[in-house]
Amino acid sequence: MACGALSLTIPLWSHLNSKFDSKRERAFKHQPTTLGITCSNSSPDLPATTEKLQNDASVTGGAYDFGRATKSLTQKLISYPKKVTLVRHGLSSWNDEGRVQGSSNLSVLTEAGVRQAERCRKALRNIYFDQCFSSPICRAKSTAEILWQGRDEPLAFIDSLKEAHLFFLEGMKNVDARQKYPNEYTTWREDPANFNVNGVYPVRNLWGTAREAWKEILLTPGENFLVVTHKSILRALICTALGLGPERFRAIDVNNGGITVFIFNQNGEAMLQSLNMTAHMYSDYMYVY
């Protein structure tokens, strides 16, 4: 491997909405504006290859454009490009007990879950968000309240971020559900797109709910959003953004406190930047993007 030392001096918030520059400057006041990258076995004779994004932020090896890479989630132009950060709630009591959660409001954050939410807050503290959207179900709501401490804007709780409703399986330990409802449980685990109760398909319905959530989020004024919700709806949000169907439900995994980042162009088309980032769970890592 041969590369040179690269030093950039850029205002890290400048590629975002200029209306919020002063707020972004405050959010970044503890961050240096000069980035240095040095590789081992470096050679000063080889220049770094860069491409320029439409927003004029120069990055090494970044994509030039992603138009038509995915289908529009808004079906109409939005006022400016947007960035959306998705976070799964912290460890809940039913996560810990191995129970099926679904849309139940009885599962609450554990002490470990609170600590995970605190780690997420610290990891994202230098990023300015225009708005935070959250599921109103308590384990996500509590996580969002921790994450949003010290921010000015009120939290927005929207029903389209609720978790899938799993009927009689909710609250059951997985081992008990497997024994009592072997056919239904096996379908839920192995072929979730075809899991149904009396003709109702929770995972298929979740795809429609995810599209509603995306439209509501992306049509909201602002450029940089935080979203806190649950594993199944996160899978649906990620898959719908990438044009994947409900049969790909288990192709995506997101840990408690995992962070995923999308950017959207003005057509409402998505590009996945980061999936299930968890470095902050094991260190004092802080993200800047």
Side-chain angles (χ1 to χ4, degrees):
M1 177 179 185
C3 61
L6 171 65
S7 181
L8 309 177
T9 301
I10 54 173
L12 294 177
W13 55 85
S14 63
H15 64 289
L16 299 172
N17 188 4
S18 59
K19 293 186 296 182
F20 299 100
D21 276 353
S22 60
K23 293 182 181 179
R24 296 183 199 284
E25 289 177 19
R26 290 197 296 272
F28 280 91
K29 64 183 179 180
H30 299 301
Q31 289 299 314
T33 56
T34 299
L35 304 179
I37 303 171
T38 304
C39 302
S40 60
N41 301 324
S42 60
S43 169
D45 299 325
L46 295 178
T49 299
T50 62
E51 294 176 345
K52 220 167 190 182
L53 293 172
Q54 288 176 323
N55 58 19
D56 291 329
S58 182
V59 295
T60 301
Y64 178 77
D65 189 19
F66 57 95
R68 298 185 298 279
T70 54
K71 291 184 178 179
S72 173
L73 291 169
T74 56
Q75 283 79 55
K76 64 179 181 179
L77 289 174
I78 55 180
S79 52
Y80 26 71
K82 308 210 175 194
K83 181 170 288 186
V84 181
T85 298
L86 308 173
V87 181
R88 185 184 173 194
H89 64 76
L91 186 75
S92 69
S93 53
W94 284 8
N95 284 149
D96 196 38
E97 295 167 10
R99 296 182 185 274
V100 179
Q101 295 190 112
S103 61
S104 172
N105 207 30
L106 299 178
S107 179
V108 298
L109 278 190
T110 61
E111 290 183 8
V114 170
R115 290 194 297 271
Q116 289 174 335
E118 288 282 0
R119 282 190 169 277
C120 290
R121 182 182 64 81
K122 292 175 182 177
L124 297 172
R125 65 185 175 187
N126 286 324
I127 298 175
Y128 175 80
F129 295 106
D130 297 293
Q131 181 71 65
C132 178
F133 299 91
S134 173
S135 162
I137 296 174
C138 66
R139 57 192 184 270
K141 181 175 182 287
S142 297
T143 301
E145 288 169 344
I146 293 170
L147 271 167
W148 205 241
Q149 286 175 7
R151 307 271 184 168
D152 294 332
E153 296 298 322
L155 285 163
F157 298 103
I158 58 176
D159 287 344
S160 54
L161 290 175
K162 285 183 175 180
E163 186 60 300
H165 180 49
L166 297 178
F167 298 91
F168 49 79
L169 294 181
E170 292 187 357
M172 295 189 70
K173 287 193 172 183
N174 284 283
V175 63
D176 296 333
R178 185 182 294 110
Q179 292 177 354
K180 188 170 183 178
Y181 302 105
N183 294 333
E184 293 87 346
Y185 184 82
T186 298
T187 302
W188 163 240
R189 299 304 303 178
E190 298 181 4
D191 188 15
N194 288 315
F195 170 73
N196 77 93
V197 177
N198 298 325
V200 178
Y201 291 79
V203 171
R204 296 184 193 180
N205 290 346
L206 205 57
W207 255 239
T209 303
R211 292 188 184 98
E212 291 175 14
W214 275 128
K215 189 171 290 188
E216 184 167 358
I217 292 164
L218 294 173
L219 294 179
T220 298
E223 284 193 13
N224 204 1
F225 299 122
L226 180 64
V227 175
V228 183
T229 188
H230 313 268
K231 187 173 189 174
S232 292
I233 183 65
L234 278 170
R235 283 170 157 165
L237 287 167
I238 294 165
C239 285
T240 52
L242 296 176
L244 301 175
E247 69 279 0
R248 302 299 179 210
F249 177 77
R250 297 204 186 277
I252 304 292
D253 197 17
V254 183
N255 293 21
N256 291 111
I259 296 174
T260 296
V261 183
F262 277 96
I263 56 173
F264 293 86
N265 61 23
Q266 287 183 266
N267 292 319
E269 299 162 342
M271 182 172 73
L272 178 63
Q273 280 202 315
S274 304
L275 176 64
N276 194 29
M277 296 189 294
T278 57
H280 58 289
M281 288 290 136
Y282 312 103
S283 67
D284 294 329
Y285 195 88
M286 287 191 297
Y287 299 105
V288 178
Y289 53 81

